[in-house]
């Protein structure tokens, strides 16, 4: 008989859960998904924690075990899936970190759950039990609950007695039964809100909460429990703003209607920043199709042909102008520049500023616009011109993003995968999977690698091909992105360093980027980091700003450039020494006012046979106040020292009692008497 066959049915189920979830975990992490709090990352975290929970609760595996099971999966499947072997060390590290984190979560969460339950009154527990039982109530069993000792005081005992009488009445009255049942459901809501708060704050699993309640004889049917839990969690997240989406995430039905009516519009922005004689084929305002947008108004404009790139793949949407003419032809307009004189000498009949471009559904490019002059009607012809300065800056940052991705994989390891990005005209932001901070040497190496490829001025090539062909050719796709049958493949140089699927706009050669500088590195989630960087003129401006700051620092410190760090260090040491001297002087001044010759009311007084010294101190911090209390108590030898200190709008009090009086006088009791006077509370040693 195998070990598995010797297990109970519950243990066998737990074993199957662990085996199945270990496979999912190993493959998911190998694909670049890491446990987190949103989307697919959250799904992975739930899978892992469910397996770990079953191992701890049903198999008694208190030590770390799940990472070993995942490692066994890799050993069994590495031949068919060599990427598992390549990521073995990284997978093990990620699983172990999550397992350790969840172990701490379960410990803290269970303690908080116990505290929450202990705070419930007997009546509240009874109502929750009633809510769990549903409408089919066994009144005989329910009455037995009131035979248990539960009243903590006379008031609650009276409430229990009243509840028992109510149940007896309810057993014979169906209308009253419904009322009491509804009241119980309402009473359970605050409890579930608190349980959802534990989940949201400490990650206490709902399954663990349900098992805990069952141990307390509160047995909810699973679907009912989940429904109440989800409702409370949704309300909690709604109040905190978690999960709320912006305009571009909310797909209005009107967009599908427009697409069906006018068909897909054509994007020409890969080759041009201007399209002449484009036709306005639809207008949308306040989620309704309209025939006209008037001067001063705002709305969404659909063109049959457009050079404007719609936000996608992290790249922000283009901005620019639409100009309609009564006659003549506009030759170009960018940003805030006025249109040049036309052949006929006329002014534009309509002038529209495009502030953003987005595509809520595939095939429909919407231009978010404000009518600055005239009006726009369906059927009008306009000249559409992208702000080429912003477009060029965005292209530099987008191509640099691809170089960053490739450089990070070369410097940090092939486990690095893109986890999100923003490509704007003035910066780029790149999120990626990595389990520890990037040190200074690694940042320098990434910057050097990217700038080397910029200086080598590799051509940037794009090719449209079938997605199967692209993947077989080594192009990197991003998990979670939607790709059609045909895709654009972006290759830097020969594609060995960087080759990815991308539908954005890019520079013609890497030299167009100019320069590259990382400005920050931070952790944004477990196993996910974010870097920000700048390129082109923004990088040059950053260099100039750094030079100005350094020159001002050199002037203020009156030192040479190569001695700046030493000068700052000396200044810090001098400041630290001066602060220490000031604190010592304040302490001497404070202690110098106490003595036989003092006449300021601070001398010790006999209170019930105990010498008490009370004093308000100014200018001392918390540490200085503690030192002063030590000094005064030493001088007093036997007695009590009470010090009051004001810091802004806060007040703190220190009470010290000499060792010979600790049995007679309790410092905590003195604090409890003083604290209400100043509207505070006491604690500590």
């Amino acid at each position: 008989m195998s070990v598995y066959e010797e297990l109970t049915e519950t243990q066998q189920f737990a074993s199957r859960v662990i085996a199945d979830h270990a496979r999912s975990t190993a493959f998911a992490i190998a694909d670049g998904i890491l446990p987190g709090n949103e989307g697919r990352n959250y799904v992975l975290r739930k899978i892992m924690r469910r397996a770990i929970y079953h191992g701890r609760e049903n198999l008694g595996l208190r030590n770390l075990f799940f990472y070993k099971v995942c490692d066994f999966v890799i050993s069994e499947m590495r031949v068919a899936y060599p990427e598992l072997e390549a990521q073995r060390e990284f997978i093990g590290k990620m699983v172990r970190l999550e397992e350790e984190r969840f172990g701490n979560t379960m410990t803290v969460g269970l303690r908080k759950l116990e505290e929450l339950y202990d705070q419930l009154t007997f009546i509240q527990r009874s109502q929750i039990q009633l809510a769990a039982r549903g409408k089919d109530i066994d009144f005989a069993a329910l009455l037995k609950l009131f035979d248990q000792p539960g009243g903590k005081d006379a008031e609650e005992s009276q409430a229990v007695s009243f509840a028992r009488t109510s149940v007896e009445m309810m057993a014979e009255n169906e209308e009253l039964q419904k009322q009491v049942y509804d009241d119980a459901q309402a009473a359970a809501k605050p409890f579930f809100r608190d349980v959802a708060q534990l989940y949201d704050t400490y990650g206490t699993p709902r399954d663990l909460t349900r098992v805990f309640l069952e141990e307390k004889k509160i047995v909810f049917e699973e679907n009912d429990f989940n429904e109440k839990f989800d409702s409370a969690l949704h309300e909690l997240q709604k109040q905190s703003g978690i999960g709320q989406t912006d305009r571009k995430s909310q797909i209005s039905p009107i967009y599908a209607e427009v697409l069906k009516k006018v068909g897909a519009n054509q994007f020409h922005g890969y080759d041009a920043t201007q399209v002449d004689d484009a036709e306005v084929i639809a207008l949308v305002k306040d989620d309704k199709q309209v025939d006209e947008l008037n001067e001063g108004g705002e709305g969404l404009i659909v063109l049959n042909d457009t050079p404007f790139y719609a936000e996608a793949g992290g790249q922000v949407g283009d901005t620019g102008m639409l100009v309609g003419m009564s006659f003549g032809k506009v030759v170009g307009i960018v940003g805030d520049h006025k249109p040049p004189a036309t052949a006929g000498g006329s002014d534009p009949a309509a002038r529209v500023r495009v502030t953003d471009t987005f595509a809520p559904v595939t095939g429909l490019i919407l231009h978010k616009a404000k009518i600055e002059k005239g009006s726009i009607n369906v059927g009008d012809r306009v000249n559409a011109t992208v702000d080429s300065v912003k477009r060029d800056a965005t292209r530099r940052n987008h191509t640099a993003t691809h170089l960053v991705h490739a450089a990070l994989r070369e410097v940090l390891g092939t486990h690095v995968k893109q986890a999100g990005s923003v490509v704007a005209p003035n910066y780029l932001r790149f999120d990626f999977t990595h389990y520890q901070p990037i040190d200074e040497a690694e940042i320098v190496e990434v910057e050097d690698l990217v700038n080397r490829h910029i200086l080598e001025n590799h051509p940037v090539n794009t090719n449209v091909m079938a997605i199967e062909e692209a993947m077989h050719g080594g192009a990197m796709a991003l998990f979670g992105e939607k790709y059609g049958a045909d895709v654009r493949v972006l290759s830097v140089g020969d594609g060995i360093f960087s080759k990815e699927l991308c539908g954005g706009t890019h520079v013609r050669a890497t030299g167009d980027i100019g320069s590259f500088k990382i400005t920050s590195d931070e952790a944004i989630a477990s196993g996910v980091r974010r870097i920000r960087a700048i390129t082109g003129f923004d990088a040059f401006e950053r260099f100039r700003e750094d030079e100005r700051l350094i020159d001002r620092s050199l002037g203020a410190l009156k030192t040479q450039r190569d001695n700046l760090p030493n000068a700052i260090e000396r200044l810090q040491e001098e400041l630290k020494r001066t602060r220490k001297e000031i604190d010592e002087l304040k302490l001497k001044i404070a202690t110098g006012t106490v003595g036989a010759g003092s006449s300021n009311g601070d001398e010790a007084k006999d209170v019930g046979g105990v010498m008490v010294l009370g004093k308000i101190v100014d200018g001392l911090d918390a540490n200085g106040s503690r030192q002063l209390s030590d000094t005064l108590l030493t001088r007093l030898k036997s007695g009590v020292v009470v010090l009051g200190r004001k810091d802004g709008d806060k007040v703190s009090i220190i009470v010290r009692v000499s060792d010979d009086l600790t049995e007679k006088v309790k410092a905590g009791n003195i604090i409890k008497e003083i604290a209400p006077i100043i509207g505070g509370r006491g604690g500590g040693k």
Side-chain angles (χ1 to χ4, degrees), residues 153-339:
D153 51 37
E155 183 177 348
E156 187 163 336
S157 295
Q158 185 177 359
V160 171
S161 177
F162 177 77
R164 180 185 177 89
T165 302
S166 299
V167 172
E168 290 173 342
M169 294 172 59
M170 184 175 62
E172 301 176 357
N173 188 322
E174 291 186 2
E175 186 175 339
L176 184 60
Q177 290 175 21
K178 182 179 182 306
Q179 181 62 49
V180 172
Y181 172 76
D182 291 342
D183 290 345
Q185 295 296 329
K189 284 186 177 181
F191 174 74
F192 273 91
R193 186 167 58 246
D194 292 338
V195 167
Q197 182 73 60
L198 288 181
Y199 169 82
D200 195 52
T201 305
Y202 301 100
T204 309
R206 69 171 70 197
D207 293 342
L208 187 62
T209 301
R210 186 161 170 260
V211 170
F212 171 85
L213 290 176
E214 288 177 354
E215 292 174 351
K216 303 296 183 181
K217 308 304 181 186
I218 301 177
V219 182
F220 280 91
E221 192 274 330
E222 184 175 3
N223 290 336
D224 183 38
F225 179 86
N226 290 338
E227 183 179 334
K228 287 179 169 58
F229 187 95
D230 290 337
S231 176
L233 183 62
H234 175 73
E235 188 64 28
L236 180 70
Q237 293 179 340
K238 182 179 178 181
Q239 293 173 2
S240 65
I242 298 173
Q244 293 182 3
T245 55
D246 59 18
R247 168 187 55 78
K248 295 174 187 174
S249 300
Q250 299 171 347
I251 308 301
S252 171
I254 188 66
Y255 302 140
E257 294 175 13
V258 173
L259 180 62
K260 183 178 180 180
K261 178 180 178 181
V262 303
N265 39 12
Q266 299 299 314
F267 173 63
H268 301 277
Y270 290 126
D271 306 312
T273 56
Q274 179 170 321
V275 170
D276 294 334
D277 200 31
E279 180 184 356
V280 177
I281 56 177
L283 297 172
V284 177
K285 182 177 177 64
D286 298 329
D287 283 344
K288 296 179 181 178
Q289 292 192 63
V290 296
D291 295 326
E292 182 181 30
L293 293 176
N294 296 313
E295 185 170 322
E298 296 182 357
L300 304 174
I301 298 176
V302 184
L303 305 175
N304 63 336
D305 297 288
T306 180
F308 287 80
Y309 180 83
E311 179 181 349
Q315 180 174 329
V316 299
D318 278 333
T319 62
M321 299 296 298
L322 305 179
V323 178
M325 299 299 297
S326 56
F327 62 89
K329 182 180 179 181
V330 174
V331 296
I333 182 167
V334 176
D336 294 322
H337 299 299
K338 293 182 178 180

Side-chain angles (χ1 to χ4, degrees), residues 56 94 129 156 176 195 209 237 243 264 276 308 337 423 453 483 490 636 658 670 678:
R56 290 171 63 100
M94 288 297 97
Q129 284 179 318
E156 187 163 336
L176 184 60
V195 167
T209 301
Q237 293 179 340
D276 294 334
F308 287 80
H337 299 299
V423 180
H453 281 273
Y483 299 104
L490 182 89
L636 200 59
S658 59
I670 298 176
I678 59 173

Side-chain angles (χ1 to χ4, degrees), residues 302-500:
V302 184
L303 305 175
N304 63 336
D305 297 288
T306 180
F308 287 80
Y309 180 83
E311 179 181 349
Q315 180 174 329
V316 299
D318 278 333
T319 62
M321 299 296 298
L322 305 179
V323 178
M325 299 299 297
S326 56
F327 62 89
K329 182 180 179 181
V330 174
V331 296
I333 182 167
V334 176
D336 294 322
H337 299 299
K338 293 182 178 180
T342 63
S346 69
D347 289 330
R351 177 184 173 92
V352 180
R353 182 172 301 279
V354 177
T355 58
D356 193 10
T357 311
F358 63 102
V361 292
T362 303
L364 183 67
I365 299 176
L366 297 176
H367 306 77
K368 184 179 179 183
K370 180 169 184 174
I371 315 304
E372 295 186 343
K373 179 181 178 182
S375 62
I376 285 289
N377 296 270
V378 175
D380 284 354
R381 316 293 295 196
V382 297
N383 295 335
T385 307
V386 173
D387 186 333
S388 59
V389 174
K390 290 184 178 179
R391 163 72 76 82
D392 287 344
T394 303
R395 292 195 304 162
R396 287 193 289 269
N397 284 332
H398 202 158
T399 305
T401 300
H402 286 245
L403 296 179
V404 168
H405 191 186
L408 287 169
R409 287 174 62 85
E410 186 162 319
V411 173
L412 303 179
T414 56
H415 65 272
V416 169
K417 288 182 174 61
Q418 182 173 336
S421 70
V422 172
V423 180
N426 55 339
Y427 76 99
L428 69 89
R429 193 186 77 196
F430 188 76
D431 302 342
F432 59 99
T433 56
H434 190 53
Y435 50 86
Q436 63 187 21
I438 310 176
D439 61 37
E440 184 178 352
E442 289 170 333
I443 289 178
V444 170
E445 192 174 354
V446 170
E447 287 180 337
D448 287 348
L449 194 54
V450 172
N451 281 302
R452 185 178 306 121
H453 281 273
I454 291 173
L455 292 174
E456 291 173 355
N457 199 27
H458 298 293
V460 178
N461 304 307
T462 55
N463 297 287
V464 179
M465 62 182 70
I467 189 168
E468 294 84 2
E469 181 183 355
M471 300 302 289
H472 290 154
M476 184 178 298
L478 300 182
F479 189 92
E481 288 288 335
K482 296 180 179 179
Y483 299 104
D486 293 329
V487 293
R488 291 176 64 86
V489 179
L490 182 89
S491 303
V492 175
D494 54 13
I496 295 177
F497 183 67
S498 175
K499 188 175 185 180
E500 297 186 32

Side-chain angles (χ1 to χ4, degrees), residues 110-127:
L110 278 174
R111 186 175 71 249
K112 295 290 182 181
L113 192 58
E114 285 278 5
E115 293 174 359
L116 175 62
Y117 185 80
D118 289 342
Q119 290 171 3
L120 296 174
T121 66
F122 177 76
I123 296 299
Q124 287 173 323
R125 295 176 188 176
S126 300
Q127 287 181 309

Side-chain angles (χ1 to χ4, degrees), residues 629-637:
S629 68
D630 289 339
T631 302
L632 295 178
L633 190 62
T634 300
R635 288 186 180 182
L636 200 59
K637 295 182 180 178

